[in-house]
Amino acid sequence: MEEVRVRFPPSPTGYLHIGGARTAIYNWLFAQKTAGTLIVRIEDTDAERSTEESVGAILDGLRWLGITWDEGPYFQSAYANDHRQAAQKLLESGHVYKCFCTHEELERKREEARKRKDDYHYDGTCRNRSAEEIGGLEDEGCAYVIRFKVPRGPGGVVFEDAVYGILEKKYRDIEDFVIVRSNGSPLYVLSNAVDDIRDRITHVIRGQDHLANTPKQILIYEALGEKLPRFAHMPLTLDPKKRKISKRAHGEMVAVQYYRQRGFLPWALVNFLVLLGWSTSDDREIFSKDELIDAFSLEGINRANSVFDIRKDDPKFFTDPKAISMNAHYLRTMPLDELLPYVQAELEAAGLWNPSFAGDKKAWFESTVDLIRSRYHTTKDFANLGRPYFADVFPMEEKVLRKNILKHANLKEWLPVMAERLEALAEFTPDSVEQAIRGLATELDVKAGILINGARTAVTGQAAGAGLFDVLAAVGKERVVRRLRQAPSFFEAME
RNA sequence: GGUCCCAUCGUCUAGUGGUCUAGGAUAUCGGCCUCUCACGCCGAAGACACGGGUUCGAGUCCCGUUGGGACUGCCA
């Protein structure tokens, strides 16, 4: 069987965005699945917009997502010669011709057609010029582009797309498209096809927005006498208003980088993204890497575009709720030692990291992370909500303070008493702490909940969290005692 | 305007003529659990765009309408 070779060819005009990442993921999965080769090819022929910085950002994004490639990155600009040679070959074989029509002339014709509400196609003015005519124009120094001589007459280009099935484009609906600019540089339709031929690409998996290019490229393949690859066009990712997502319209919200900064786990993003336009017939949605590679197939790709439910200005979700839910799922279920490096990175960035967390406090650190992770949504939460566990200074939520502490005036005395009892404990474990606090509640004839919630707030500044006894054990005796003793000051501040 | 593609709960989707009084996920709401909040579990609400055919039978096939999208560049 022929070796599968696929490619991901981003144009380096910005950061890697969700749509591009999705394309890369599908190609990567297909390569993994078939033990094939994934090639990264930077399509940088648009010198105006391409930047080196962008190349770095895209590769960086791919690496972060865990998408590995086998060849490249190749740079399209390095192969200009191949493109020119292909054009030359087509010129010699008569599949293309030089067109001397100027921008102005074409624009005028387009405009006229628009006025008549007519469909505009290049009218073929230069298609049938004689060799003498062409020679003459060239001698005069007239600039020309090279156009493809699309077959005229009935029929069309027929091909089978792995996703959309058999598609036909009539010749009459394809104009004599330009393949080389008047400055001699090749256009995407040409260079992309030539590169795919050189790279021996067997499967072109790309966005549905390229569906219209496909017949043209097939014509080029055929004119060059090359074997066609298989095509698979994947549906596009739209925003909630059904517009194609773009860096330009949505800014950072659609950049892979954004999700990294907001505390996404790369695999959670990959898992979410792959589901945007692909599914299995069973009900599985969570896949490990191996499971996903195993389950992936071109047949499972959907035909309809999907909406990436980005939330702008939503207080509750900063992006698609399903993406967040998936991230939270991985956060609380992934092997702890895989999560730890992310937590460490967050704490370091927030200035909360202490080397002992990886040293003599390692066991404590691990069990604490394990304790708190189940209610977190992103790795950012470890540095925000996790602050009371890793630092001495943490925010106290005003509303929570009122509800759990100030509302019960007696806590002003009870909390320090609790501090005393806890301080006296020989060993500070969830069990011993529970005994002490429940015992105190009985003694004071008060519902344990009042002491528990009061203590939680005094110790963490929060109203929610893991079971209190575990929380106290995690925060540690010394800090718990200190924080409980400070409780009266909250009342004083109010007076 | 033209060419092409698409159309199931808010969103992601299962569904390839009968098992669909349409399944799952997420989000929402309610309950259980409980020291709180999550998790988990249980439950509720929520969709086949519309109209015609074909067929004994249509979410599933065909046509039309509507809606959405892509392309329509000497961008990629």
Side-chain angles (χ1 to χ4, degrees):
Chain A
M1 212 187 114
E2 189 187 24
E3 186 209 0
V4 166
R5 292 174 64 84
V6 294
R7 83 300 197 263
F8 174 58
S11 55
T13 55
Y15 294 135
L16 178 64
H17 69 87
I18 295 299
R22 219 174 115 256
T23 306
I25 290 167
Y26 282 32
N27 275 286
W28 171 71
L29 286 171
F30 188 67
Q32 293 286 316
K33 169 102 186 176
T34 58
T37 301
L38 173 62
I39 295 160
V40 170
R41 188 173 66 222
I42 308 292
E43 304 214 323
D44 57 347
T45 49
D46 184 356
E48 301 276 299
R49 298 192 301 154
S50 299
T51 67
E52 213 166 293
E53 187 194 4
S54 167
V55 173
I58 289 169
L59 296 180
D60 196 43
L62 291 176
R63 279 190 213 102
W64 179 71
L65 286 171
I67 295 173
T68 51
W69 59 95
D70 309 287
E71 287 183 24
Y74 296 141
F75 288 82
Q76 188 167 62
S77 55
Y79 297 95
N81 222 25
D82 289 11
H83 310 145
R84 269 192 294 273
Q85 270 172 21
Q88 188 54 39
K89 187 177 169 191
L90 292 174
L91 218 37
E92 281 158 17
S93 63
H95 285 98
V96 300
Y97 60 91
K98 295 173 179 174
C99 169
F100 297 87
C101 297
T102 63
H103 273 298
E104 293 69 34
E105 283 173 72
L106 295 176
E107 198 41 57
R108 207 193 67 235
K109 287 176 181 170
R110 248 194 290 271
E111 192 51 43
E112 277 172 14
R114 236 194 311 272
K115 270 185 201 147
R116 287 197 310 271
K117 294 210 168 211
D118 259 357
D119 183 20
Y120 176 79
H121 274 172
Y122 176 63
D123 61 5
T125 302
C126 297
R127 182 171 166 130
N128 299 312
R129 285 192 199 278
S130 66
E132 295 75 44
E133 238 181 312
I134 293 169
L137 286 162
E138 274 188 276
D139 289 343
E140 285 171 43
C142 292
Y144 60 86
V145 298
I146 296 178
R147 285 183 185 274
F148 195 92
K149 198 180 282 182
V150 176
R152 289 301 156 220
V157 178
V158 180
F159 67 101
E160 185 175 1
D161 186 273
V163 175
Y164 290 92
I166 293 175
L167 264 12
E168 176 175 7
K169 181 83 170 178
K170 297 265 192 296
Y171 289 137
R172 66 162 184 276
D173 292 323
I174 309 175
E175 73 170 340
D176 282 356
F177 55 95
V178 178
I179 60 168
V180 178
R181 295 183 180 89
S182 53
N183 69 6
S185 65
L187 250 25
Y188 171 80
V189 270
L190 203 225
S191 48
N192 180 264
V194 169
D195 289 341
D196 283 347
I197 290 167
R198 187 195 54 251
D199 290 334
R200 298 172 3 254
I201 299 303
T202 58
H203 298 255
V204 173
I205 304 169
R206 65 201 336 182
Q208 195 226 71
D209 46 345
H210 288 288
L211 215 40
N213 285 323
T214 308
K216 296 177 186 173
Q217 294 191 310
I218 287 176
L219 253 14
I220 291 174
Y221 268 85
E222 287 172 344
L224 251 15
E226 298 289 345
K227 184 166 172 272
L228 291 179
R230 287 270 286 152
F231 289 95
H233 286 89
M234 43 193 281
L236 267 18
T237 305
L238 274 22
D239 73 5
K241 285 180 182 155
K242 301 267 171 85
R243 290 174 310 186
K244 185 173 151 184
I245 56 167
S246 69
K247 192 91 180 40
R248 197 185 166 160
H250 305 91
E252 61 169 2
M253 300 262 327
V254 299
V256 165
Q257 187 66 15
Y258 176 71
Y259 293 87
R260 183 179 185 174
Q261 282 161 194
R262 294 297 296 251
F264 260 72
L265 266 359
W267 186 255
L269 224 211
V270 169
N271 196 153
F272 169 75
L273 252 21
V274 79
L275 257 18
L276 240 38
W278 172 85
S279 63
T280 54
S281 339
D282 51 38
D283 289 332
R284 283 186 301 163
E285 295 206 318
I286 300 291
F287 298 88
S288 68
K289 183 171 150 184
D290 288 344
E291 287 167 342
L292 187 57
I293 290 167
D294 186 57
F296 189 77
S297 78
L298 261 23
E299 289 67 44
I301 299 178
N302 214 305
R303 273 171 291 277
N305 292 342
S306 55
V307 172
F308 178 31
D309 197 7
I310 48 176
R311 305 292 182 102
K312 210 166 171 60
D313 308 317
D314 185 322
K316 194 158 179 190
F317 303 102
F318 68 87
T319 187
D320 194 312
K322 189 156 183 170
I324 293 178
S325 139
M326 193 150 285
N327 199 53
H329 170 87
Y330 279 104
L331 213 55
R332 67 173 176 266
T333 59
M334 73 196 287
L336 191 60
D337 41 312
E338 284 174 32
L339 174 63
L340 259 17
Y342 293 100
V343 180
Q344 176 173 346
E346 290 300 347
L347 295 186
E348 279 171 349
L352 300 176
W353 177 253
N354 184 322
S356 68
F357 293 171
D360 58 343
K361 283 188 173 174
K362 190 164 191 284
W364 167 82
F365 181 65
E366 289 183 5
S367 67
T368 300
V369 167
D370 200 29
L371 175 70
I372 62 183
R373 67 166 163 165
S374 78
R375 49 219 91 203
Y376 290 175
H377 294 110
T378 70
T379 57
K380 282 276 164 248
D381 288 334
F382 288 97
N384 301 325
L385 298 171
R387 231 187 142 81
Y389 298 89
F390 305 116
D392 286 325
V393 181
F394 56 91
M396 173 65 66
E397 290 173 40
E398 179 81 31
K399 251 174 71 182
V400 175
L401 175 66
R402 250 198 303 268
K403 180 179 168 225
N404 285 344
I405 297 186
L406 301 183
K407 206 174 108 190
H408 308 281
N410 287 332
L411 284 175
K412 188 177 176 181
E413 280 81 45
W414 292 344
L415 260 10
V417 172
M418 188 192 291
E420 229 155 278
R421 299 291 169 91
L422 295 179
E423 190 173 35
L425 256 26
E427 55 165 15
F428 202 74
T429 66
D431 282 346
S432 68
V433 167
E434 174 160 18
Q435 261 184 5
I437 292 180
R438 290 206 188 276
L440 180 63
T442 309
E443 215 176 288
L444 297 171
D445 193 25
V446 56
K447 278 202 295 196
I450 293 182
L451 293 183
I452 286 170
N453 288 325
R456 183 197 314 287
T457 300
V459 172
T460 68
Q462 296 161 16
L468 179 79
F469 311 120
D470 291 313
V471 168
L472 296 188
V475 171
K477 183 162 153 182
E478 191 218 344
R479 289 191 296 183
V480 166
V481 168
R482 197 179 336 128
R483 290 174 194 181
L484 288 176
R485 288 206 169 119
Q486 271 166 4
S489 66
F490 293 128
F491 290 91
E492 279 145 26
M494 295 304 287
E495 282 159 10

